[in-house]
Amino acid sequence: MIPTRCGLTAINRRLWILPLLLAILASAVARGAEPIDWKLTYTHQRAETERDGVDLNLRGTRDASVFWLGYYRRANEFQQTRAGLEQWFSFNWGKALLSGQAATRGFLGFASQAEIGRGGVRLLAGFGRTNLKPYYNLNFDPNDAVTLGLVADLPDGMRASFYAVHDDRLGTGQTVVHALLRTSDDPAHRWTIDVSQRRGPLGDTGERVRRTGIGVTYDRAPYFGRIVFDPNANFSGHDMLRLGFGVRF
């Protein structure tokens, strides 16, 4: 996710929230005795009208819990440290995800997502809210939004999903639609393909767009690489290319 409105005016540079970030991660790491599966990702992004940005993200998974610490920097224009925690819960009707995030510059946010059903095809629904402070990461979907779609488990560990993320708070009329296919549930060798379409007015000119992008990730444990073409990134006037690579350990 990225700020639904991309302007970086009135940026709050106070670092009071850093202790909260560390407390979130410390609580997640200390809980339980199961080993943690770590994932370290470096991403470089290049846009037509901005300086290059870099992002470093450390993500840990233990059973149904996931936690992360990340840092983004775009030259001297924008820097931010973030942390988050998410937890999956299982029910008779399906499963649900609750997540919370905090970052420097005063950002706080939460999101929920549910897969409803126990069969091969399930309903996907989600909801997110923030305090509208500046926030930056690599999802590039609206933060304050509702999500609705379908997810399906296919033979040989394949998984397909089709969903739309729609801004329901700021009245922008912006929607991002995703069609995603993962060829296996085993990171030892798999492809993940995400075709997305950005629909709605641009934030800087109001011109309506309907542009299609694509992201491809290849896993060959313990390493992985990713390339993403994102047209009108975050409903801006520029296209973006993102290159990422990382390691699991």
Side-chain angles (χ1 to χ4, degrees):
M1 292 179 287
I2 191 170
T4 311
R5 297 196 184 277
C6 191
L8 300 181
T9 58
I11 290 175
N12 185 348
R13 297 183 178 276
R14 293 176 296 176
L15 300 181
W16 62 267
I17 207 165
L18 276 175
L20 177 59
L21 306 187
L22 297 176
I24 290 173
L25 289 180
S27 174
V29 173
R31 188 176 64 251
E34 294 296 321
I36 300 173
D37 295 323
W38 296 101
K39 177 182 177 181
L40 180 64
T41 306
Y42 171 83
T43 303
H44 187 102
Q45 58 186 44
R46 178 179 291 271
E48 298 172 319
T49 59
E50 290 183 343
R51 294 188 178 184
D52 288 6
V54 296
D55 186 86
L56 190 64
N57 190 83
L58 179 63
R59 185 179 181 93
T61 302
R62 172 187 279 154
D63 294 331
S65 301
V66 181
F67 43 92
W68 64 90
L69 178 65
Y71 175 73
Y72 172 82
R73 180 183 180 91
R74 187 176 71 241
N76 293 322
E77 300 172 356
F78 190 93
Q79 301 89 37
Q80 189 167 50
T81 301
R82 65 186 184 274
L85 175 65
E86 62 184 38
Q87 180 72 41
W88 281 99
F89 301 91
S90 294
F91 304 94
N92 292 332
W93 49 263
K95 61 181 181 178
L97 172 72
L98 294 178
S99 67
Q101 300 186 63
T104 54
R105 301 173 179 264
F107 174 86
L108 291 172
F110 79 92
S112 62
Q113 181 176 298
E115 293 184 15
I116 303 171
R118 287 290 188 176
V121 179
R122 302 177 299 283
L123 177 67
L124 180 67
F127 176 79
R129 282 292 181 266
T130 77
N131 60 355
L132 298 179
K133 296 291 186 179
Y135 181 63
Y136 206 99
N137 71 17
L138 301 182
N139 195 341
F140 287 79
D141 291 336
N143 284 324
D144 295 86
V146 293
T147 300
L148 188 64
L150 297 172
V151 58
D153 292 327
L154 305 175
D156 301 321
M158 296 179 64
R159 179 182 172 96
S161 56
F162 180 79
Y163 60 95
V165 183
H166 177 71
D167 165 34
D168 71 324
R169 184 178 184 187
L170 299 181
T172 63
Q174 297 169 345
T175 302
V176 183
V177 179
H178 290 267
L180 190 146
L181 176 67
R182 189 186 67 190
T183 61
S184 172
D185 57 3
D186 185 359
H189 176 63
R190 71 181 177 196
W191 292 88
T192 304
I193 302 170
D194 181 7
V195 179
S196 62
Q197 188 173 84
R198 201 171 298 280
R199 305 174 180 177
L202 300 181
D204 46 3
T205 66
E207 175 191 358
R208 295 192 66 86
V209 297
R210 184 183 290 255
R211 300 282 308 280
T212 300
I214 187 170
V216 178
T217 302
Y218 177 64
D219 285 89
R220 186 75 174 183
Y223 306 105
F224 60 91
R226 179 180 300 120
I227 181 169
V228 179
F229 170 65
D230 194 355
N232 294 111
N234 195 40
F235 290 94
S236 68
H238 60 259
D239 299 341
M240 180 177 290
L241 183 68
R242 304 198 298 274
L243 301 173
F245 60 89
V247 60
R248 292 181 170 86
F249 55 96

